[in-house]
Amino acid sequence: MATKTLVFRSQEEHTDQRFQSLRTASKTTKKKFKSSEEDVVGQDSFPFVSPEVLSVKEFLNLDSAAAKKSWAVEKQTAVTEEQLEMEKRTLFGNEMEKLEVEVIETNKVLRVRADHNAWRKRAEEKSLQLQKTFEERERRTPEVLFPLRHHTVWEGMGVKLSCTFQGCPKPEIKWYKDGVLLQSSSHPGKYRIQSRFGHNTLEISRCTIADSAEYKVVATNKLGEAFSFATVLVNSYQGVQSGYDSTKSTILVSEMEADFDQTLQPSFPREGGSLTLSCEFSSDLLTYQRALLWFKDGVPLPESQRRQLHTGSRSASLTITQVYKEDEGLYSIHLPTLTGVKEQSAYVFVRDAAAAVMGAPGSPLDVECSDINKDYVFLTWKPPSADGGSPVVGYFIDRLDIGSGQWVQCNDTPHKLCRFPVVGLREGGIYQFRVRAVNKAGVGRPSKKTEAVTMVDPSEAERVMVIQLEKGKIVITKDQLEGDILIPLPPTDAHVSEVSGACVVLSWTEPDPRGREPLTYYIEKSVADSNSWQRANLEIPVHSPRFPIFDLTKGKSYCFRVRAVNKYGVSEPSLPSEAASLRETVVVPPPPHGVVSTRNTNTSVVLQWKSPKDVRDIIGYYIYCCEVGTDNWMTVNNKPVTSTRFIVHGLVARKKYVFRIKSVSAAGISDYSEESAPLVVKTAISAPSTPSSIALLSCGKSEMVIGWRAPKWNGGDVIQGYFLDQVDVSESVWHEVNVKPIATQVFKVGNLKEDHLYQFQATAMNCVGVGKASEPSDPFLCKEWTMPEPGPPYGLLYREVRRKSLVLLWEPPVYTGQSPVTGYLVDICEVGSDEWKAVTEEPTSNTFLKVPGLEAGRSYMFRVFAVNAAGVGEPSLPSEEVKAETKPGMKDVQIGVDEDGFIFLEFQTPEWNESSEFLWTKNYSKAIDQGRIRIESKDDRSRLILTNPSEQDLGLYTVAMSDIDDISSSYTFTDKELERLLELSWEIRNPLIALKSNWAVEVSEKGDVRLWLQVEKLSSAAELKLIFNNKEIASTATHKINFDRATGIVEVLIDNFSEVDKGSYTAQLRDGRAKNQFTFVLIDDNFKQALAQSEFKRRDWKRKAGPHFLEFLTWKVTEDCELHFSCKVTNMKKETSLKWFKDGVEVTGVEYNPQTGISTLVVTQVTKKEEGIYKVVLCDERGEDTSVIELVGEGYEKVLRDLSRACALSASPLKIQCTMQGFKLYCSLKYYLDYMKTSWHFKEKRIDGEERTKTGSSIQKVWIEIFSPTEANKGKYTLEMFDGRETHKRTLDLSGQAFDDALIEYQRLRQADIADKNRARVTKGLPDVVAIMEDKSLCLTCFTSGDPSPEVFWLKNDREIVMGGQYNITKDNVGSTITINTVTTEDSGKYSVFARNKHGSETVSVTVSVYRHGETPKQGEVLI
């Protein structure tokens, strides 16, 4: 009953659908389709549930009363509807029925879609509910797990505060300093705040006293807050100043602090090389000073695998083992001291490495990875400064999978922009990247590879929630909350994030909720406004929400959308992105302008420029320099400079340079800016520094003599004078002493009051202006000096400072005491010590002293005492500190003799200015008699020339620079030096002409004789006299005399050399003051040899006037054992006759090549008839020449010997050939002669006509046959070939496996021969084709042979014929016959006879053609 009811209910549903379709067709109201659940909820009566959704059991378990009532109503309604339906169906016909079916199908599709949306909504609600439940369960106030701790650091160091919080929701972290909120943006570079996984840090870089404070960190969420605080104390090296008045202390230092002993200098390492920056300190580093730091561009440098830091007791160094362009920058070292931090800085310029290809660009730099995802990474870099001479057209990007260890190129064509998206990477893979620039010359060197990056999903961490419990933790992932998601939702926020001229980068947000299953994406593109979508990633699977799209057409706009895909299906597409198109052209930045260069130092200039108007994309500037007068532009920096001011180092002093600049952006490098004005590299001029060491040199009742020390730095120009100020200590008002500048460093101040105290200060002036005033002197009492001892010397100066010595100069005291000064005492003190030691035990009378025995690198001070009869006076003020070291480039005075024979002293300075002058003196102060010297100075050289040297010129000569105090030198001119140089001077003024090559005799091809010699190069005024047998001779037609002064060659050309030319030849030469003479005696054997050679060549020359032989007739045997005759002729004409003769008979077959002049005759096989005399004759109207060679007797024997040798050398190794009779040992030759004696040996014993052996030879082979070989024939065989001079051997070891194999092969061949002789054969009897008329009898007979007698079988069409019927077969010892009686057309076919015995078999066939009565057989068939 239930089943019937269910079927009836199905019919009712069908009726209801029809009724609804009719209503839909007649009513235009839009129907809203609901899901199955919404439809159930919305019904008032009991719902109908489709059998596909509700099972039969569930259906039968419905409330029976309600069901019956509902069905009764429905049944009555169904009858009425059925009647209406019949009427309408009649009215509308079959067309409405079709429409009805379509509407029903549409309803089903819409219902299914509504169900899908409902399921997705339920999954989202469930996911949010679960997430909210977990969050509510784990909500807690912030809690401090690890609090802050207090820190005390030195000034200049960095400090890092850290603590850990936990709480849910995630608390917000804020840092406070003394109650004031800290923000990184307001103090860039000072504070760095980070928070990761609850661990919070605050880094303070380069602390100062102001950073001493209380720091507090506060964590806040909706449920409350937690905090932690700590105090940071920053100690200076003078004492502790923590920021509180109550905390102060003093550091007592018993040792002297170390200071920088030298200045860091700019460095210019090459890319790929190494770099070491080092500095020395004045003393050992104290404990707290060893915490020195190295910085690059203001960032501390930690030690790493590529970077080593070393700190010794008195030195520190930074070493970079492999330098990249990224290492370029400003390096500095910070040294802690009690007064603060001292700093030394130097710029490091990294030069380009050698180009991989000539003309290729340099390597890019600063390659960085960003936007790292599962299979995607975005690369950026900076273009190289050096383009190799042609513009960079693009870049190749390479990747290295750490697992594979191989570099793979990512792009096939050069990419133009300095940014590139890399796709198709392996999820979880670790990669490194590098970039290479490309121009028309080729591909440049690769950049520095990036740090290794791992391909991971950056949002994966956000999908994990960790809830800390008292006894562990709970880890919840979104995958657990989104397990009900099957078909993914569509992605969102699809937009173009990067546009270039080659591609666009599409970005989007993954679906949320995403679902548990992994997602990939389909990217679709469409031309804007076309709505024609195409897949853009057919070949590349996409796992990350980033993807670059190439192969777009420029000029067209595109829209993009994304679909998410998992194993359950494909999502709906995302909303289309905004329309985007490729950039038409890559716009490079504009160049800067207003380039101005100014002087800085002797090796650097300051460069300034103005940025372009549009600086949005500019990341820096490249600078280029060129020396004026050349076209050699050099790159200054390989790392873009971000500011518009830069100091260019590494220039050559006093050279003139121009500069130009390029802007740098991701699109490339701009054009060059305009060139700066030319600038000479030299130190900039400034005001001088302050004078120092003001001293009282003498004092009267109302006057004082004041002295001072010149400034350390004159500002780059000569000091033009000094100004002195004074103050009466009781008045405290300063007054000018002089209005006009004082030229000296000593001045007498008058109009003073006796018994008053005065202080003085001095200022220096140069062309720039007046410098700063010195520190006030000590108070001096104006009271007349009456002491018997002298006053203090003054004006202490250093000269000739070297590693082991120096010279100290001073001025005598102004106040000499009551008796004249008789000498001076000098004390020395090492810097850092208070102990003064005497340099000289006895007073020196000079006002200078050379101090030896210094320790290189140490610093010293000196003071001087004047001595008179009363005793030792007051000491001078201590001199300035001086370090015992030699100035780089410093040279000593050189002495020598110039070209004119004058003795000179010369000095070359390592440094000079335009206003510099060379000051020559004797004994450092005494002027030189200008009448005895001449001084010539130019640029960096000065020469003092002694015009009339004598003993008056002996002594100490000194030279110094007028405006550079640390450059000086000296030379002591002794009597021995004077004697040596005077001798050299005489030699120069009275020189001898040097001989290069003595007299020689040469005979020319014509027989002329040349007598010649060579001396050194002479001037055009040089003179020659040639004396022959004590008589001067001149040039004649037969005896020509040549004199080449430029080369120094003297020659005599004699046309017809004869007995009259015997004798002595003397050449007398004079060139200014220089002279010499050279004699050649041509007699006896020398003359006879020259005469014979002259006559021979004269005759030979006459021969060569006509056709003649360059190479006379010769013969040779070639490797191919051929005899070649050849000669080479020249001076041939068309009329010239060239003929070959043998024994007087002309020879034919001669070849002659007019181009080379070679004529040849080839004898391919030499026999006895080739013996004879060969002659070649050249003849024409100019003359005749012959060449003869005799091949008779010994000559012919020599040919045979050489031919035999060539044949023997061409012999191959011995080989073995097996025959039916035995072994055949043979040797192949290119040619065999009977003259060549051959012999065979077995086991070192000669084989001479032995039994079972036979020797033989042919034109190309020599052999020996061994018949019926046995074990006795096993051993070593040797063939000896004697060519008349030496024996040539070929051997074969016929033993072991070789003998066994040969014996087996011999036996096989023998057996095969026997078998072949006795095998079964069909000898004769059968034709090829037979024709026979039907009804006749056919008889076929064949003959056989073989031992034993063979068996014979007959076959038809390859099947054996059995005797009987119409077939009759007979056999005997010599053959077999088959008879076919009464043949028919069916008997046509191929008949074969097969004969066999134990040695073999043979088959012979015949084709039988049976034709009918009245037919004619085919032509060629045998009729029977």
Side-chain angles (χ1 to χ4, degrees):
M1 182 62 186
T3 304
K4 293 181 180 179
T5 304
L6 183 60
V7 172
F8 179 72
R9 183 57 183 161
S10 178
Q11 294 175 351
E12 287 181 349
E13 180 191 14
H14 183 65
T15 303
D16 179 64
Q17 289 177 350
R18 282 177 160 180
F19 179 71
Q20 290 293 340
S21 67
L22 294 176
R23 292 179 61 186
T24 304
S26 61
K27 192 175 182 179
T28 58
T29 305
K30 182 179 180 181
K31 182 178 179 181
K32 180 181 179 183
F33 291 91
K34 301 179 181 180
S35 68
S36 302
E37 297 178 358
E38 292 173 334
D39 215 5
V40 170
V41 174
Q43 292 181 359
D44 294 332
S45 60
F46 190 81
F48 170 76
V49 182
S50 173
E52 292 130 351
V53 180
L54 190 63
S55 67
V56 175
K57 182 178 179 181
E58 291 172 332
F59 187 85
L60 294 177
N61 288 336
L62 293 174
D63 185 79
S64 59
K68 290 178 181 179
K69 184 178 179 181
S70 175
W71 290 347
V73 175
E74 291 292 339
K75 183 177 180 180
Q76 184 178 359
T77 305
V79 173
T80 305
E81 290 177 351
E82 187 175 359
Q83 294 175 354
L84 293 173
E85 181 184 357
M86 295 298 293
E87 293 174 1
K88 291 179 180 180
R89 183 174 296 175
T90 304
L91 180 63
F92 292 104
N94 294 333
E95 293 183 0
M96 286 304 301
E97 187 173 359
K98 294 180 180 179
L99 179 61
E100 177 185 7
V101 173
E102 293 178 0
V103 172
I104 291 172
E105 293 298 328
T106 304
N107 288 348
K108 287 184 178 180
V109 172
L110 295 176
R111 175 61 62 86
V112 171
R113 183 172 296 177
D115 286 345
H116 278 247
N117 292 336
W119 294 340
R120 182 169 60 188
K121 184 176 180 182
R122 286 183 59 192
E124 292 176 354
E125 291 175 352
K126 184 177 180 181
S127 175
L128 292 174
Q129 185 178 3
L130 288 173
Q131 184 177 357
K132 185 175 181 181
T133 300
F134 280 112
E135 289 179 354
E136 291 293 334
R137 183 186 302 169
E138 298 300 327
R139 284 165 62 92
R140 64 174 64 187
T141 59
E143 180 183 357
V144 181
L145 295 181
F146 298 100
L148 297 175
R149 64 182 181 87
H150 302 288
H151 288 269
T152 301
V153 296
W154 290 107
E155 185 179 10
M157 297 175 61
V159 66
K160 184 176 183 179
L161 304 176
S162 62
C163 68
T164 304
F165 289 97
Q166 72 173 11
C168 187
K170 183 179 179 181
E172 180 184 3
I173 305 299
K174 293 184 179 180
W175 289 86
Y176 297 86
K177 174 187 176 183
D178 287 338
V180 180
L181 180 65
L182 289 178
Q183 293 182 349
S184 299
S185 58
S186 59
H187 301 81
K190 182 65 176 177
Y191 301 110
R192 184 182 181 187
I193 300 174
Q194 288 185 327
S195 179
R196 294 192 64 184
F197 307 111
H199 185 69
N200 307 280
T201 58
L202 168 65
E203 291 187 49
I204 308 173
S205 62
R206 303 179 71 178
C207 293
T208 62
I209 299 300
D211 292 317
S212 295
E214 182 182 78
Y215 290 84
K216 181 179 181 182
V217 58
V218 180
T220 308
N221 66 9
K222 296 179 181 179
L223 302 181
E225 70 175 27
F227 66 89
S228 178
F229 65 90
T231 301
V232 174
L233 297 180
V234 181
N235 291 343
S236 73
Y237 296 108
Q238 291 180 334
V240 179
Q241 297 183 13
S242 60
Y244 303 97
D245 295 338
S246 60
T247 308
K248 291 186 178 180
S249 64
T250 303
I251 299 178
L252 299 176
V253 179
S254 59
E255 298 178 277
M256 177 173 293
E257 278 190 326
D259 197 357
F260 290 108
D261 204 24
Q262 62 184 14
T263 304
L264 279 180
Q265 297 297 323
S267 185
F268 303 88
R270 191 164 293 279
E271 183 183 9
S274 61
L275 163 68
T276 299
L277 295 176
S278 60
C279 63
E280 303 289 335
F281 302 107
S282 59
S283 60
D284 291 344
L285 293 172
L286 302 182
T287 302
Y288 63 89
Q289 289 185 301
R290 299 184 69 85
L292 53 82
L293 295 174
W294 288 89
F295 291 82
K296 175 180 173 288
D297 297 330
V299 178
L301 292 177
E303 192 162 9
S304 65
Q305 183 177 2
R306 196 171 58 90
R307 186 188 306 117
Q308 291 86 40
L309 306 178
H310 174 73
T311 303
S313 59
R314 300 188 66 170
S315 64
S317 65
L318 163 66
T319 301
I320 301 176
T321 55
Q322 187 171 8
V323 178
Y324 295 100
K325 292 182 180 180
E326 289 80 356
D327 296 315
E328 184 170 301
L330 182 64
Y331 287 76
S332 58
I333 179 172
H334 292 193
L335 177 67
T337 65
L338 291 177
T339 57
V341 176
K342 292 187 176 182
E343 180 179 345
Q344 289 277 1
S345 299
Y347 204 93
V348 173
F349 299 84
V350 179
R351 300 303 191 202
D352 280 295
V357 178
M358 184 64 68
S363 59
L365 67 156
D366 288 342
V367 183
E368 296 181 355
C369 301
S370 61
D371 201 6
I372 302 170
N373 224 296
K374 289 189 287 186
D375 61 349
Y376 169 94
V377 67
F378 194 78
L379 295 181
T380 58
W381 61 89
K382 294 175 183 176
S385 60
D387 57 13
S390 60
V392 174
V393 298
Y395 303 89
F396 283 129
I397 294 86
D398 301 333
R399 72 172 184 265
L400 170 66
D401 190 337
I402 300 298
S404 67
Q406 293 183 348
W407 287 98
V408 179
Q409 189 170 298
C410 299
N411 54 322
D412 296 328
T413 58
H415 186 72
K416 294 184 179 300
L417 289 181
C418 294
R419 47 167 59 98
F420 184 78
V422 182
V423 295
L425 303 177
R426 177 172 55 86
E427 183 175 358
I430 303 176
Y431 291 90
Q432 289 180 300
F433 302 89
R434 68 184 187 188
V435 182
R436 294 173 293 154
V438 185
N439 65 3
K440 68 178 183 180
V443 182
R445 292 172 57 88
S447 66
K448 176 186 176 184
K449 61 185 179 182
T450 65
E451 297 294 333
V453 294
T454 305
M455 299 295 105
V456 295
D457 186 357
S459 63
E460 195 63 32
E462 300 177 359
R463 296 180 59 80
V464 179
M465 179 186 299
V466 180
I467 301 174
Q468 298 290 342
L469 301 177
E470 294 181 358
K471 296 183 179 181
K473 60 183 178 180
I474 298 177
V475 179
I476 302 173
T477 65
K478 282 192 175 183
D479 289 345
Q480 297 172 337
L481 303 178
E482 300 171 0
D484 295 335
I485 302 298
L486 299 180
I487 297 178
L489 298 175
T492 59
D493 191 25
H495 63 281
V496 175
S497 58
E498 180 77 19
V499 179
S500 69
C503 68
V504 299
V505 178
L506 184 67
S507 302
W508 61 90
T509 303
E510 66 179 11
D512 190 14
R514 185 181 74 182
R516 183 178 298 172
E517 300 301 330
L519 292 181
T520 58
Y521 299 96
Y522 290 162
I523 290 85
E524 298 177 351
K525 65 180 179 180
S526 172
V527 178
D529 301 329
S530 69
N531 202 29
S532 176
W533 296 95
Q534 298 177 348
R535 276 281 300 277
N537 64 323
L538 292 175
E539 299 179 356
I540 303 176
V542 179
H543 300 277
S544 305
R546 307 282 188 278
F547 187 72
I549 303 170
F550 295 86
D551 300 329
L552 301 179
T553 304
K554 287 190 176 182
K556 290 185 178 181
S557 297
Y558 292 86
C559 295
F560 306 93
R561 67 184 187 185
V562 188
R563 295 177 184 265
V565 184
N566 64 11
K567 72 176 185 179
Y568 294 108
V570 183
S571 75
E572 295 292 329
S574 67
L575 294 177
S577 67
E578 296 286 339
S581 61
L582 297 178
R583 291 183 180 175
E584 292 295 332
T585 57
V586 178
V587 180
V588 297
H593 60 280
V595 183
V596 177
S597 57
T598 54
R599 289 163 54 179
N600 186 41
T601 68
N602 274 341
T603 58
S604 65
V605 300
V606 177
L607 201 63
Q608 293 176 297
W609 61 90
K610 294 181 180 179
S611 301
K613 293 183 179 179
D614 186 6
V615 296
R616 287 176 296 177
D617 297 330
I618 294 178
I619 58 178
Y621 303 92
Y622 283 136
I623 303 168
Y624 305 86
C625 68
C626 177
E627 185 179 343
V628 174
T630 69
D631 195 28
N632 183 23
W633 285 95
M634 296 179 294
T635 303
V636 173
N637 60 314
N638 266 320
K639 188 174 183 180
V641 177
T642 55
S643 65
T644 57
R645 182 181 184 275
F646 191 74
I647 299 178
V648 180
H649 291 274
L651 305 178
V652 180
R654 315 206 64 77
K655 297 289 186 180
K656 187 179 290 187
Y657 289 86
V658 292
F659 302 87
R660 60 187 184 186
I661 305 174
K662 285 183 176 181
S663 302
V664 185
S665 74
I669 302 178
S670 72
D671 294 332
Y672 289 107
S673 67
E674 74 277 7
E675 295 181 6
S676 67
L679 179 71
V680 176
V681 179
K682 56 184 178 180
T683 305
I685 299 176
S686 60
S689 60
T690 60
S692 59
S693 301
I694 300 177
L696 179 62
L697 304 181
S698 180
C699 185
K701 293 182 179 180
S702 60
E703 60 187 18
M704 292 182 179
V705 178
I706 304 297
W708 58 89
R709 187 178 295 153
K712 290 184 178 180
W713 168 241
N714 61 8
D717 194 51
V718 178
I719 300 293
Q720 298 180 354
Y722 298 91
F723 294 96
L724 195 63
D725 296 338
Q726 70 177 33
V727 61
D728 190 330
V729 175
S730 61
E731 298 179 359
S732 301
V733 177
W734 288 91
H735 300 282
E736 293 180 350
V737 174
N738 59 308
V739 177
K740 294 183 179 181
I742 305 168
T744 64
Q745 294 164 245
V746 177
F747 189 74
K748 181 184 288 187
V749 182
N751 299 323
L752 302 179
K753 298 179 180 178
E754 191 174 5
D755 294 329
H756 278 235
L757 292 172
Y758 291 90
Q759 287 180 295
F760 299 89
Q761 63 182 16
T763 56
M765 182 187 74
N766 63 7
C767 65
V768 175
V770 179
K772 293 183 179 180
S774 66
E775 292 293 329
S777 67
D778 294 333
F780 298 141
L781 179 63
C782 184
K783 187 173 183 179
E784 184 178 8
W785 286 1
T786 58
M787 54 195 175
E789 297 85 4
Y794 68 96
L796 275 66
L797 297 175
Y798 299 113
R799 291 289 184 266
E800 302 178 46
V801 180
R802 303 293 187 264
R803 297 181 68 254
K804 298 292 185 178
S805 65
L806 58 80
V807 175
L808 181 67
L809 279 65
W810 61 87
E811 295 292 334
V814 176
Y815 177 77
T816 59
Q818 296 179 357
S819 61
V821 173
T822 58
Y824 301 92
L825 296 174
V826 179
D827 286 355
I828 185 174
C829 175
E830 187 174 346
V831 174
S833 172
D834 294 333
E835 182 182 1
W836 287 91
K837 299 178 181 179
V839 176
T840 57
E841 296 181 359
E842 297 295 331
T844 177
S845 59
N846 298 320
T847 57
F848 63 90
L849 178 68
K850 185 170 184 177
V851 183
L854 302 181
E855 185 175 348
R858 295 284 185 175
S859 297
Y860 299 91
M861 295 186 299
F862 297 87
R863 65 184 182 186
V864 181
F865 300 83
V867 180
N868 63 5
V872 179
E874 292 292 324
S876 66
L877 289 178
S879 65
E880 290 182 323
E881 296 179 5
V882 61
K883 186 176 182 180
E885 62 179 0
T886 303
K887 186 180 180 68
M890 180 64 70
K891 298 179 180 179
D892 293 329
V893 173
Q894 302 295 322
I895 193 168
V897 180
D898 62 14
E899 297 177 352
D900 297 326
F902 289 101
I903 299 174
F904 67 86
L905 290 92
E906 185 179 68
F907 176 67
Q908 182 180 4
T909 176
E911 183 181 340
W912 61 287
N913 300 316
E914 291 181 352
S915 58
S916 298
E917 295 181 3
F918 292 88
L919 306 178
W920 288 90
T921 58
K922 289 189 73 172
N923 298 327
Y924 296 100
S925 59
K926 183 179 179 182
I928 304 175
D929 185 358
Q930 297 299 315
R932 303 189 61 82
I933 65 168
R934 184 174 73 252
I935 297 177
E936 297 176 354
S937 301
K938 185 178 181 181
D939 296 335
D940 61 342
R941 295 176 183 269
S942 180
R943 177 175 288 188
L944 184 146
I945 302 173
L946 302 176
T947 57
N948 187 19
S950 65
E951 293 182 355
Q952 299 180 20
D953 298 306
L954 302 179
L956 176 64
Y957 288 83
T958 60
V959 60
M961 304 301 294
S962 61
D963 53 354
I964 306 176
D965 293 335
D966 58 349
I967 296 179
S968 59
S969 187
S970 65
Y971 188 86
T972 302
F973 191 23
T974 63
D975 53 353
K976 290 184 178 180
E977 283 289 316
L978 176 62
E979 182 180 354
R980 181 181 66 83
L981 294 176
L982 286 175
E983 182 179 350
L984 179 60
S985 175
W986 186 90
E987 292 178 356
I988 293 176
R989 292 177 177 179
N990 302 276
L992 291 176
I993 296 175
L995 178 67
K996 282 189 173 181
S997 180
N998 209 341
W999 282 104
V1001 179
E1002 292 180 357
V1003 180
S1004 68
E1005 293 182 352
K1006 295 181 181 181
D1008 299 338
V1009 175
R1010 175 178 179 250
L1011 307 179
W1012 68 279
L1013 65 84
Q1014 185 178 13
V1015 297
E1016 62 183 344
K1017 180 181 178 181
L1018 304 175
S1019 68
S1020 59
E1023 299 176 356
L1024 168 68
K1025 287 184 178 181
L1026 189 62
I1027 309 298
F1028 175 61
N1029 292 337
N1030 298 324
K1031 293 182 180 180
E1032 183 177 355
I1033 61 175
S1035 181
T1036 63
T1038 58
H1039 292 69
K1040 185 180 294 185
I1041 301 173
N1042 294 327
F1043 180 28
D1044 188 348
R1045 295 168 176 80
T1047 60
I1049 294 177
V1050 177
E1051 63 180 4
V1052 181
L1053 302 178
I1054 305 173
D1055 287 347
N1056 295 310
F1057 191 70
S1058 61
E1059 288 287 339
V1060 298
D1061 298 308
K1062 183 191 299 184
S1064 64
Y1065 296 81
T1066 301
Q1068 296 179 350
L1069 297 170
R1070 178 180 293 275
D1071 187 9
R1073 297 193 303 267
K1075 59 183 178 180
N1076 211 336
Q1077 72 176 24
F1078 308 96
T1079 300
F1080 178 54
V1081 179
L1082 187 58
I1083 58 174
D1084 299 334
D1085 292 341
N1086 290 338
F1087 175 77
K1088 292 177 181 178
Q1089 182 180 358
L1091 182 61
Q1093 189 177 6
S1094 174
E1095 291 175 348
F1096 171 78
K1097 288 193 173 183
R1098 194 177 302 127
R1099 290 192 301 270
D1100 191 58
W1101 177 258
K1102 292 179 181 180
R1103 180 182 68 85
K1104 293 180 179 179
H1108 61 275
F1109 291 92
L1110 280 179
E1111 296 176 4
F1112 291 98
L1113 186 61
T1114 58
W1115 62 267
K1116 69 175 181 178
V1117 176
T1118 65
E1119 294 181 354
D1120 294 330
C1121 302
E1122 295 179 343
L1123 179 62
H1124 284 207
F1125 294 92
S1126 66
C1127 62
K1128 187 174 183 180
V1129 299
T1130 187
N1131 202 15
M1132 301 286 285
K1133 295 170 59 176
K1134 291 183 179 181
E1135 297 80 7
T1136 303
S1137 170
L1138 186 151
K1139 293 183 180 181
W1140 288 65
F1141 298 92
K1142 176 182 179 293
D1143 296 333
V1145 179
E1146 186 175 355
V1147 178
T1148 59
V1150 177
E1151 295 182 358
Y1152 171 64
N1153 187 344
Q1155 301 295 328
T1156 60
I1158 297 176
S1159 180
T1160 58
L1161 173 64
V1162 178
V1163 179
T1164 57
Q1165 185 173 352
V1166 178
T1167 61
K1168 186 65 176 177
K1169 67 179 183 179
E1170 272 68 48
E1171 186 177 8
I1173 299 174
Y1174 293 80
K1175 181 170 69 172
V1176 182
V1177 179
L1178 298 175
C1179 182
D1180 63 13
E1181 72 278 3
R1182 295 171 296 169
E1184 179 179 312
D1185 198 7
T1186 61
S1187 178
V1188 178
I1189 188 169
E1190 296 183 0
L1191 293 187
V1192 293
E1194 182 61 29
Y1196 183 68
E1197 287 286 330
K1198 188 176 185 304
V1199 170
L1200 293 179
R1201 284 197 299 270
D1202 287 2
L1203 188 60
S1204 298
R1205 184 175 184 277
C1207 294
L1209 291 176
S1210 69
S1212 68
L1214 285 181
K1215 299 179 181 179
I1216 182 170
Q1217 179 183 356
C1218 297
T1219 65
M1220 292 177 292
Q1221 291 78 27
F1223 299 157
K1224 184 177 183 180
L1225 308 183
Y1226 67 94
C1227 174
S1228 298
L1229 304 91
K1230 289 185 179 180
Y1231 184 67
Y1232 176 71
L1233 282 177
D1234 293 336
Y1235 180 83
M1236 181 172 60
K1237 304 298 186 290
T1238 60
S1239 61
W1240 289 90
H1241 298 261
F1242 175 62
K1243 295 182 180 179
E1244 308 301 332
K1245 182 181 179 181
R1246 180 167 178 163
I1247 303 174
D1248 290 323
E1250 294 183 2
E1251 188 179 355
R1252 294 193 301 109
T1253 61
K1254 180 182 179 182
T1255 60
S1257 63
S1258 65
I1259 192 66
Q1260 290 183 333
K1261 188 176 292 187
V1262 179
W1263 67 81
I1264 183 172
E1265 292 183 276
I1266 304 172
F1267 302 109
S1268 302
T1270 62
E1271 290 289 333
N1273 299 114
K1274 184 187 296 185
K1276 180 179 178 182
Y1277 289 84
T1278 304
L1279 170 63
E1280 293 185 355
M1281 296 169 285
F1282 182 69
D1283 63 8
R1285 282 176 295 196
E1286 58 180 320
T1287 302
H1288 306 270
K1289 294 182 180 182
R1290 298 293 185 268
T1291 61
L1292 175 65
D1293 187 5
L1294 188 58
S1295 61
Q1297 187 65 35
F1299 180 82
D1300 295 341
D1301 293 344
L1303 188 62
I1304 292 172
E1305 178 65 14
Y1306 156 68
Q1307 293 172 351
R1308 186 190 68 78
L1309 291 174
R1310 184 178 180 185
Q1311 293 297 327
D1313 181 60
I1314 295 173
D1316 187 63
K1317 290 179 181 179
N1318 297 324
R1319 73 178 179 85
R1321 285 187 173 86
V1322 178
T1323 57
K1324 60 181 178 178
L1326 295 180
D1328 292 334
V1329 180
V1330 173
I1332 187 171
M1333 184 181 294
E1334 62 182 351
D1335 296 331
K1336 288 186 177 183
S1337 295
L1338 174 63
C1339 182
L1340 299 175
T1341 302
C1342 70
F1343 295 93
T1344 61
S1345 65
D1347 185 18
S1349 296
E1351 297 180 88
V1352 179
F1353 303 90
W1354 288 91
L1355 300 93
K1356 177 185 177 184
N1357 296 331
D1358 297 329
R1359 291 192 178 187
E1360 184 180 357
I1361 299 174
V1362 180
M1363 183 175 176
Q1366 66 178 134
Y1367 298 104
N1368 183 24
I1369 301 173
T1370 62
K1371 301 179 182 178
D1372 54 25
N1373 292 334
V1374 295
S1376 177
T1377 301
I1378 182 171
T1379 303
I1380 306 173
N1381 299 314
T1382 314
V1383 297
T1384 63
T1385 57
E1386 294 179 356
D1387 294 320
S1388 297
K1390 183 180 77 170
Y1391 288 82
S1392 303
V1393 59
F1394 173 67
R1396 72 179 179 186
N1397 63 7
K1398 66 179 182 180
H1399 297 298
S1401 63
E1402 186 176 13
T1403 301
V1404 177
S1405 300
V1406 59
T1407 302
V1408 176
S1409 175
V1410 180
Y1411 60 92
R1412 292 185 177 87
H1413 294 281
E1415 294 180 352
T1416 303
K1418 297 179 182 179
Q1419 187 177 0
E1421 295 179 345
V1422 178
L1423 297 178
I1424 295 178

